[in-house]
Amino acid sequence: MTIKPVHVVGGGLAGSEAAWQIAQGGVPVVLHEMRPVRETPAHKTQGLAELVCSNSFRSDDAETNAVGVLHAEMRLAGSLIMASGDAHQVPAGGALAVDRDGFSDAVTAKLEAHPLVTIVREEISGLPPQEWDQAIIATGPLTTPSLAEAIAEKTGADALAFFDAIAPIIHFDTIDFDVAWFQSRYDKVGPGGTGKDYINLPMDKAQYEAFVAALIEGGKTEFREWEGTPYFDGCLPIEVMAERGVETLRHGPMKPIGLTNPHDPTVKAYAIVQLRQDNALGTLYNMVGFQTKLKHGEQVRIFRTIPGLEQAEFARLGGLHRNTYINSPTLLDSTLQLKSRPGLRFAGQITGCEGYVESAAIGLLAGRFAAAQRLGRAIAPPPPTTAFGSLLGHITDGHLVSDDEPGKRSFQPMNVNFGLFPPLEAGTKLKPEGFEGRFRGKDKALARKKALARRALADCRAWLGLAPQTVAAE
């Protein structure tokens, strides 16, 4: 019996993961990627799953961090994105960061080699044709205007947009280590790391205040056509954060806590800029949290005032691109299917999730849903207690609209977080055995996160049909 293929539009992280899950489920898949036929403002290569912003998948802590739990669930589900990330990780403290070229090459090679995957390099400028009765749109935040218009025409709702900014990348050998030093915050050792995975650049109060003033006064790229489009709070440009108050950056990406300058250990820095390894060779480092819309010349001028970067050479300067997403709670059902057109699903950032891992996770779910439907099997969404389920719930059914916040503009992109998980069951024991003293505050909050993580992974294993196993053994 010949099985009709599922079509996936978009070869980013979500589309690549969706295609992999469909093929692994025994269903043929055609993956349509428009590059290099048509380029985008942010992509630089022709590779699938190219990382255009940070190279970090964020925390890999599956005990106390929601994105770490999502990592673990994706590994349990046979994620291609996580397997490729693990194979090409670079040191990043408690985070999972990857060599971006090695990662993309691995994803591309795996999909090209799969016997059930066909990759077609072409632009799909409108909605998939009706004869593609099972299709997934995973065109990401850089969906072409023609496709966005087709989506809006079909759904009767305009797509929403927000700005997303890219951080600069610096050549390692141009950093002054008479000033800089290696250290992870609190010396934390993460996957593939040593506890000395970040380059730190200190500032005293006068240097910091002058730097903040320069950010605010520096020339910015203006986009009059897109005025009024909101930023996503998790990826604000550094100068926008600076405009929110002189102390904002020292409590954000430039916080000095957990770090000691070995060049002058008795003096605590007022603020610290961190750089994170960006490639496997260790020749490139990106400026953590320094997404920016400053003009290129202004970036070079201002960032070279940071102690240790006076002679810095930039492999890539920061930039700004436009992200587009749909009103998913109104338009999609619980299996990411467009309510007005059964069989057509959406996945990735276009659904209103945010972050590499979250986008890939939604691609994973969309792929599994589509494969199951093609094979005539029951579709069971993941339990809401899992990271998968909590993120899916936010996208499809997790938003309340009040009378003074009408319509789609009240739905905003979000990273996975424990706030999306259902509360623990009444009577859940949190206090560890042998704990002495009053159990509250940070101790209780940490225990709650651990309990949520344990429940999520246990319920995910059950959903996937895997044998029960402790979190520590994952």
Side-chain angles (χ1 to χ4, degrees), residues 409-420:
R409 291 195 179 278
S410 56
F411 172 60
Q412 292 293 325
M414 187 174 290
N415 296 112
V416 68
N417 62 83
F418 282 126
L420 300 180

Side-chain angles (χ1 to χ4, degrees), residues 154-358:
K154 175 63 179 177
T155 61
D158 293 334
L160 301 180
F162 62 99
F163 288 131
D164 199 10
I166 300 171
I169 294 177
I170 295 170
H171 289 283
F172 171 79
D173 59 6
T174 66
I175 300 167
D176 182 1
F177 279 92
D178 288 336
V179 176
W181 76 94
F182 280 99
Q183 186 186 8
S184 300
R185 203 175 302 280
Y186 299 112
D187 301 306
K188 187 171 183 179
V189 177
T194 64
K196 296 183 179 181
D197 302 329
Y198 290 79
I199 295 173
N200 300 279
L201 307 164
M203 286 185 179
D204 60 27
K205 184 176 181 180
Q207 290 168 330
Y208 171 77
E209 291 179 347
F211 179 71
V212 170
L215 289 175
I216 295 171
E217 296 167 4
K220 284 89 174 173
T221 302
E222 299 298 335
F223 295 91
R224 291 191 181 89
E225 180 186 350
W226 299 338
E227 287 289 9
T229 303
Y231 295 104
F232 169 57
D233 276 346
C235 201
L236 285 173
I238 191 78
E239 61 276 3
V240 173
M241 285 188 275
E243 290 169 354
R244 294 186 171 186
V246 70
E247 293 292 291
T248 301
L249 294 177
R250 352 182 11 248
H251 295 283
M254 294 177 68
K255 59 181 177 285
I257 61 172
L259 299 164
T260 300
N261 185 352
H263 303 299
D264 198 356
T266 62
V267 176
K268 297 299 290 183
Y270 193 75
I272 290 176
V273 174
Q274 287 197 308
L275 310 179
R276 180 177 56 227
Q277 187 174 333
D278 200 77
N279 65 345
L281 293 175
T283 56
L284 299 176
Y285 275 72
N286 64 61
M287 302 179 72
V288 177
F290 270 62
Q291 306 83 215
T292 181
K293 63 171 184 174
L294 287 168
K295 292 181 179 179
H296 283 183
E298 291 288 78
Q299 290 182 46
V300 174
R301 179 182 67 83
I302 294 171
F303 295 155
R304 281 182 177 166
T305 67
I306 298 171
L309 297 186
E310 292 88 349
Q311 305 299 320
E313 296 294 334
F314 296 86
R316 185 189 69 185
L317 289 164
L320 195 69
H321 56 271
R322 184 175 186 259
N323 285 355
T324 302
Y325 62 99
I326 63 172
N327 182 23
S328 293
T330 300
L331 302 177
L332 304 182
D333 70 10
S334 62
T335 67
L336 300 165
Q337 192 169 218
L338 192 63
K339 294 175 184 177
S340 62
R341 181 175 161 179
L344 178 59
R345 289 181 166 82
F346 287 79
Q349 280 186 262
I350 196 171
T351 65
C353 66
E354 180 60 31
Y356 290 146
V357 178
E358 290 88 340

Side-chain angles (χ1 to χ4, degrees), residues 160 325 327 329 394 399-402 404-413:
L160 301 180
Y325 62 99
N327 182 23
H394 166 70
H399 188 72
L400 299 176
V401 178
S402 62
D404 60 352
E405 190 188 33
K408 61 186 179 300
R409 291 195 179 278
S410 56
F411 172 60
Q412 292 293 325

